[in-house]
Amino acid sequence: MASSRTETTRRVVKVFTAHAQKEGAGFTVQRPFPSKHLTDEQTDPFLMIDEIGPTDANVNNPGAPWHPHRGFDTVTYLKSGCAAHQDSLGNKGFMGPGEVQWMHTGSGIIHDEGPPKGMTQEELERYGKMHGFQIWINNPPAHKMTPPTYTHLTAKSFQWQPWGPNAKVKLFAGAMTSKGNGTLENAQMDLPAPVVVADALITAGGGSQATEFPIDAGMETCMVYVYGGEGRVHDGSSDAAGTVIKRQDVVFFAAPAGASQRNVRLRATDEQAGLHVLILAGKKIGAPVARHGPFVMNTEEEIRQAFKDYEGGKLASTKAKGSVI
């Protein structure tokens, strides 16, 4: 193996498959984590990924009716289908294919998400199958009780960008820089902790050529979730063959051993579908995690206070800031 001085590709710790779980009012999600495979300390600052669908659109799907949150960010991303959002602070939004809703729950918000009310089954089906993701990202202690915010990244402003000869990327947050591709950055999000969240599609063209996605070496946590196609992930620069990865697989990488060891190397092997992945990376917060249901804080006492505030009607007392980009 090459030394850490010359190593440029992150090492793979483990590859495992997401598990199915019931959520909301009874819909099924594929959940990479939290699970028995990874601890909160390992995934820090990320708390959860859920994949919803792909499933047939259903106007009677109850979605996730009114429920509270405090202490973290929720990121909802639709690949296809549509959904509506409304919250206790007056924000309302319609999400279509390729759009993102990024909500900083802060000191507290109560919201409702599901199929748009009043839409017929035929109208709903025009947007395609329901397929999307929800990602939970933890906040540093100093940001957990800040005012909530709501940002809607529309399909117009949130578009695919080419990345090398065989790939394209949608960058939710953060930046990626390489000599051949320049810098790809999404500076629209004002985030409490530095993260990279990206959707990437890699084609099988170019023979055995792998695509490299550079992640800042200061981001110790790095994961890939496969939501379509098939390919291989390379464990370090000297791993020419790579390990097979397929739909619903999770790749968890080791923290870089040096400043140059930052690349995630992926290769598509499915000639028709390519390889579809979410890439998540972040700098660890390093604070204790106390979680219960919809609340994520640092201590059990703070969790008890969140439930007390919710039950007493005090959870969503701060006016949120909403924006559409």
Side-chain angles (χ1 to χ4, degrees):
M1 174 186 156
S3 69
S4 61
R5 184 176 62 84
T6 57
E7 181 69 64
T8 60
T9 301
R10 293 186 182 231
R11 301 300 307 270
V12 175
V13 174
K14 63 174 68 178
V15 177
F16 62 92
T17 303
H19 66 278
Q21 183 166 319
K22 293 283 187 181
E23 272 299 314
F27 58 89
T28 300
V29 301
Q30 299 299 322
R31 179 166 290 176
F33 66 88
S35 72
K36 63 181 181 181
H37 299 285
L38 293 171
T39 65
D40 284 338
E41 184 179 2
Q42 287 176 302
T43 62
D44 181 13
F46 299 98
L47 297 161
M48 185 193 79
I49 306 177
D50 279 350
E51 180 183 14
I52 304 100
T55 187
D56 291 336
N58 182 356
V59 73
N60 295 316
N61 184 339
W66 291 98
H67 59 282
H69 288 302
R70 172 180 280 179
F72 61 100
D73 287 11
T74 70
V75 183
T76 304
Y77 173 39
L78 279 187
K79 291 293 295 182
S80 60
C82 65
H85 161 90
Q86 56 180 332
D87 63 45
S88 55
L89 306 172
N91 294 308
K92 291 186 178 181
F94 173 87
M95 289 180 62
E99 297 192 331
V100 170
Q101 169 196 289
W102 195 302
M103 190 168 67
H104 170 61
T105 68
S107 58
I109 196 167
I110 305 169
H111 75 142
D112 168 68
E113 49 195 348
K117 292 176 175 59
M119 188 173 282
T120 67
Q121 180 66 29
E122 182 180 359
E123 289 171 332
L124 195 65
E125 289 174 354
R126 291 175 187 164
Y127 291 88
K129 289 182 177 291
M130 186 63 185
H131 185 205
F133 304 89
Q134 187 162 98
I135 304 167
W136 288 12
I137 306 173
N138 203 8
N139 291 164
H143 291 266
K144 283 188 173 289
M145 294 297 287
T146 54
T149 60
Y150 169 85
T151 304
H152 181 182
L153 296 177
T154 64
K156 183 177 180 179
S157 65
F158 182 59
Q159 298 184 354
W160 290 105
Q161 302 293 331
W163 190 260
N166 300 323
K168 57 183 180 178
V169 173
K170 271 189 173 185
L171 193 63
F172 300 37
M176 292 191 294
T177 301
S178 73
K179 290 182 178 179
N181 295 296
T183 298
L184 184 61
E185 182 177 14
N186 188 336
Q188 300 175 111
M189 303 302 303
D190 182 18
L191 304 178
V195 295
V196 168
V197 183
D199 184 6
L201 169 59
I202 308 160
T203 64
S208 60
Q209 182 178 358
T211 299
E212 294 189 339
F213 299 92
I215 307 296
D216 190 302
M219 294 188 175
E220 308 99 322
T221 299
C222 185
M223 295 167 281
V224 163
Y225 176 62
V226 182
Y227 69 87
E230 189 169 306
R232 291 179 179 266
V233 59
H234 297 269
D235 179 18
S237 301
S238 60
D239 178 20
T243 299
V244 173
I245 50 175
K246 58 188 185 304
R247 175 163 165 72
Q248 296 178 2
D249 278 350
V250 184
V251 184
F252 183 74
F253 296 90
S260 63
Q261 191 180 13
R262 61 196 190 109
N263 293 330
V264 169
R265 289 184 71 218
L266 302 171
R267 175 163 53 94
T269 56
D270 188 320
E271 293 289 341
Q272 293 185 326
L275 179 66
H276 302 249
V277 300
L278 292 182
I279 302 173
L280 280 70
K283 185 172 179 59
K284 290 185 181 297
I285 296 170
V289 175
R291 63 160 89 195
H292 194 291
F295 305 128
V296 183
M297 302 300 289
N298 298 119
T299 68
E300 292 301 326
E301 175 57 33
E302 290 172 332
I303 293 292
R304 287 191 289 270
Q305 185 63 49
F307 276 102
K308 183 178 179 180
D309 288 347
Y310 176 53
E311 292 162 1
K314 299 178 181 179
L315 182 85
S317 59
T318 304
K319 181 62 181 176
K321 180 179 71 175
S323 62
V324 177
I325 298 174

